[in-house]
Amino acid sequence: MKSSDELTIGELADRFGLATHVLRHWESMGLIEPARRAGGRRRYGTDALVRVALILMGKEAGLGLRELSAVLSAPDPMDHRDLLRRHAAALEQRIERARAAKALIEHALACPHRLAECPHAREQIAARIPPA
């Protein structure tokens, strides 16, 4: 890679719509590292583009930065299967709750009753009330 192909921290941040302090934080956590420092300034290669994209994808999937650091730094991709399995199970629970919430909202949009008086909603409301 030619030095003209390297990106400054500002260019890398702009490319992804991030603030430079985000990249500095990720660097402090070992998630990214500059290809080199020219005159004390960070320079990033094309590998940083891939790494930032991976970090953003992981964050969108709900992984925290520490989890991402562990997953991305593992020499063997199978080292963190348990962590990813747990995360997949948690995502599945969130998806189920989101589907149920969406169904309730869609029902409320079509139902002529107030939500607290709707027979369909009352079943769900009753299921949410803890026993005495």
Side-chain angles (χ1 to χ4, degrees):
M1 173 182 251
K2 299 180 297 189
S3 63
S4 62
D5 292 337
E6 291 178 335
L7 302 168
T8 65
I9 192 168
E11 292 167 336
L12 182 61
D14 286 345
R15 186 100 176 245
F16 288 95
L18 299 169
T20 55
H21 71 86
V22 171
L23 296 180
R24 285 188 199 95
H25 178 64
W26 292 354
E27 186 180 327
S28 74
M29 294 190 70
L31 286 164
I32 61 171
E33 62 181 75
R36 64 186 182 99
R37 291 181 187 259
R41 299 183 70 164
R42 294 168 175 88
R43 303 296 291 186
Y44 295 91
T46 55
D47 58 324
L49 293 169
V50 172
R51 191 71 169 202
V52 170
L54 280 169
I55 294 165
L56 292 172
M57 290 168 62
K59 286 175 60 61
E60 287 169 5
L63 291 167
L65 292 179
R66 285 190 177 86
E67 293 168 319
L68 279 167
S69 179
V71 170
L72 295 175
S73 66
D76 182 348
M78 298 298 169
D79 283 353
H80 296 289
R81 291 177 77 181
D82 290 341
L83 180 149
L84 295 175
R85 278 191 191 106
R86 285 190 308 273
H87 189 71
L91 281 173
E92 191 58 43
Q93 289 176 342
R94 287 179 25 209
I95 290 167
E96 289 302 317
R97 286 192 304 267
R99 283 189 182 128
K102 182 178 180 256
L104 182 63
I105 289 168
E106 287 172 344
H107 179 80
L109 287 169
C111 183
H113 303 287
R114 290 180 162 179
L115 201 55
E117 297 163 358
C118 169
H120 173 76
R122 288 189 63 84
E123 290 175 24
Q124 293 182 28
I125 293 165
R128 291 288 184 119
I129 298 173

